[in-house]
mmCIF file of all heavy atoms in Angstrom:
data_model
loop_
_atom_site.group_PDB
_atom_site.id
_atom_site.type_symbol
_atom_site.label_atom_id
_atom_site.label_comp_id
_atom_site.label_asym_id
_atom_site.label_seq_id
_atom_site.Cartn_x
_atom_site.Cartn_y
_atom_site.Cartn_z
ATOM 1 N N LEU A 511 -14.129 1.910 -4.219
ATOM 2 C CA LEU A 511 -14.624 2.897 -5.187
ATOM 3 C C LEU A 511 -14.502 4.337 -4.651
ATOM 4 O O LEU A 511 -14.288 5.282 -5.334
ATOM 5 C CB LEU A 511 -16.042 2.640 -5.623
ATOM 6 C CG LEU A 511 -16.280 1.480 -6.587
ATOM 7 C CD1 LEU A 511 -17.730 1.144 -6.795
ATOM 8 C CD2 LEU A 511 -15.574 1.815 -7.919
ATOM 9 N N ILE A 512 -14.717 4.464 -3.305
ATOM 10 C CA ILE A 512 -14.732 5.810 -2.695
ATOM 11 C C ILE A 512 -13.240 6.344 -2.659
ATOM 12 O O ILE A 512 -13.021 7.476 -2.888
ATOM 13 C CB ILE A 512 -15.300 5.716 -1.251
ATOM 14 C CG1 ILE A 512 -16.782 5.407 -1.276
ATOM 15 C CG2 ILE A 512 -15.070 7.077 -0.533
ATOM 16 C CD1 ILE A 512 -17.437 5.136 0.078
ATOM 17 N N GLN A 513 -12.280 5.448 -2.332
ATOM 18 C CA GLN A 513 -10.924 5.942 -2.170
ATOM 19 C C GLN A 513 -10.065 5.829 -3.380
ATOM 20 O O GLN A 513 -9.052 6.498 -3.463
ATOM 21 C CB GLN A 513 -10.285 5.251 -0.952
ATOM 22 C CG GLN A 513 -9.837 3.820 -1.151
ATOM 23 C CD GLN A 513 -9.295 3.194 0.144
ATOM 24 O OE1 GLN A 513 -10.047 2.522 0.857
ATOM 25 N NE2 GLN A 513 -8.099 3.392 0.462
ATOM 26 N N GLN A 514 -10.407 5.062 -4.388
ATOM 27 C CA GLN A 514 -9.550 4.884 -5.536
ATOM 28 C C GLN A 514 -9.633 6.127 -6.462
ATOM 29 O O GLN A 514 -10.609 6.909 -6.329
ATOM 30 C CB GLN A 514 -9.836 3.607 -6.318
ATOM 31 C CG GLN A 514 -11.111 3.658 -7.161
ATOM 32 C CD GLN A 514 -11.434 2.342 -7.761
ATOM 33 O OE1 GLN A 514 -11.226 1.273 -7.137
ATOM 34 N NE2 GLN A 514 -12.009 2.344 -8.925
ATOM 35 N N ALA A 515 -8.642 6.250 -7.374
ATOM 36 C CA ALA A 515 -8.653 7.356 -8.311
ATOM 37 C C ALA A 515 -10.018 7.505 -8.992
ATOM 38 O O ALA A 515 -10.575 6.494 -9.430
ATOM 39 C CB ALA A 515 -7.584 7.177 -9.337
ATOM 40 N N GLY A 516 -10.574 8.674 -9.008
ATOM 41 C CA GLY A 516 -11.890 8.920 -9.604
ATOM 42 C C GLY A 516 -12.995 8.923 -8.533
ATOM 43 O O GLY A 516 -14.073 9.406 -8.775
ATOM 44 N N GLY A 517 -12.714 8.411 -7.320
ATOM 45 C CA GLY A 517 -13.675 8.408 -6.261
ATOM 46 C C GLY A 517 -13.664 9.740 -5.439
ATOM 47 O O GLY A 517 -12.710 10.498 -5.591
ATOM 48 N N PRO A 518 -14.694 9.955 -4.608
ATOM 49 C CA PRO A 518 -14.761 11.208 -3.917
ATOM 50 C C PRO A 518 -13.650 11.521 -2.902
ATOM 51 O O PRO A 518 -13.408 12.666 -2.612
ATOM 52 C CB PRO A 518 -16.162 11.123 -3.165
ATOM 53 C CG PRO A 518 -16.516 9.677 -3.166
ATOM 54 C CD PRO A 518 -15.853 9.053 -4.378
ATOM 55 N N LEU A 519 -12.954 10.505 -2.401
ATOM 56 C CA LEU A 519 -11.864 10.743 -1.479
ATOM 57 C C LEU A 519 -10.473 10.630 -2.133
ATOM 58 O O LEU A 519 -9.440 10.787 -1.460
ATOM 59 C CB LEU A 519 -11.970 9.771 -0.300
ATOM 60 C CG LEU A 519 -13.141 10.015 0.673
ATOM 61 C CD1 LEU A 519 -13.126 8.990 1.827
ATOM 62 C CD2 LEU A 519 -13.105 11.452 1.238
ATOM 63 N N ALA A 520 -10.507 10.359 -3.415
ATOM 64 C CA ALA A 520 -9.147 10.199 -4.127
ATOM 65 C C ALA A 520 -8.357 11.534 -4.023
ATOM 66 O O ALA A 520 -8.909 12.643 -4.272
ATOM 67 C CB ALA A 520 -9.384 9.884 -5.564
ATOM 68 N N GLY A 521 -7.165 11.414 -3.562
ATOM 69 C CA GLY A 521 -6.259 12.581 -3.564
ATOM 70 C C GLY A 521 -6.536 13.549 -2.419
ATOM 71 O O GLY A 521 -5.921 14.620 -2.395
ATOM 72 N N ARG A 522 -7.505 13.234 -1.549
ATOM 73 C CA ARG A 522 -7.839 14.158 -0.473
ATOM 74 C C ARG A 522 -6.914 13.944 0.675
ATOM 75 O O ARG A 522 -6.710 12.760 1.077
ATOM 76 C CB ARG A 522 -9.271 14.023 0.026
ATOM 77 C CG ARG A 522 -10.333 13.999 -1.092
ATOM 78 C CD ARG A 522 -10.381 15.334 -1.775
ATOM 79 N NE ARG A 522 -11.001 16.359 -1.030
ATOM 80 C CZ ARG A 522 -12.345 16.668 -1.001
ATOM 81 N NH1 ARG A 522 -13.172 15.956 -1.762
ATOM 82 N NH2 ARG A 522 -12.787 17.626 -0.232
ATOM 83 N N ASP A 523 -6.328 14.960 1.238
ATOM 84 C CA ASP A 523 -5.383 14.897 2.317
ATOM 85 C C ASP A 523 -6.078 15.469 3.553
ATOM 86 O O ASP A 523 -6.169 16.661 3.756
ATOM 87 C CB ASP A 523 -4.084 15.648 2.031
ATOM 88 C CG ASP A 523 -3.061 15.574 3.138
ATOM 89 O OD1 ASP A 523 -3.059 14.557 3.869
ATOM 90 O OD2 ASP A 523 -2.339 16.551 3.302
ATOM 91 N N LEU A 524 -6.656 14.584 4.397
ATOM 92 C CA LEU A 524 -7.377 15.007 5.538
ATOM 93 C C LEU A 524 -6.606 14.840 6.811
ATOM 94 O O LEU A 524 -5.811 13.940 6.957
ATOM 95 C CB LEU A 524 -8.704 14.196 5.663
ATOM 96 C CG LEU A 524 -9.586 14.088 4.417
ATOM 97 C CD1 LEU A 524 -10.867 13.303 4.737
ATOM 98 C CD2 LEU A 524 -9.932 15.460 3.851
ATOM 99 N N LEU A 525 -6.880 15.705 7.764
ATOM 100 C CA LEU A 525 -6.299 15.684 9.099
ATOM 101 C C LEU A 525 -7.346 15.580 10.096
ATOM 102 O O LEU A 525 -8.381 16.259 10.022
ATOM 103 C CB LEU A 525 -5.447 16.943 9.350
ATOM 104 C CG LEU A 525 -4.256 17.195 8.455
ATOM 105 C CD1 LEU A 525 -3.695 18.563 8.742
ATOM 106 C CD2 LEU A 525 -3.191 16.159 8.664
ATOM 107 N N GLU A 526 -7.156 14.775 11.163
ATOM 108 C CA GLU A 526 -8.186 14.623 12.232
ATOM 109 C C GLU A 526 -7.582 15.233 13.487
ATOM 110 O O GLU A 526 -6.504 14.903 13.940
ATOM 111 C CB GLU A 526 -8.529 13.169 12.465
ATOM 112 C CG GLU A 526 -9.614 13.082 13.520
ATOM 113 C CD GLU A 526 -10.144 11.669 13.713
ATOM 114 O OE1 GLU A 526 -9.629 10.775 13.193
ATOM 115 O OE2 GLU A 526 -11.157 11.598 14.449
#
Side-chain angles (χ1 to χ4, degrees):
L511 282 172
I512 295 171
Q513 73 186 95
Q514 75 187 34
L519 290 179
R522 308 297 287 269
D523 180 30
L524 307 184
L525 296 171
E526 183 172 10

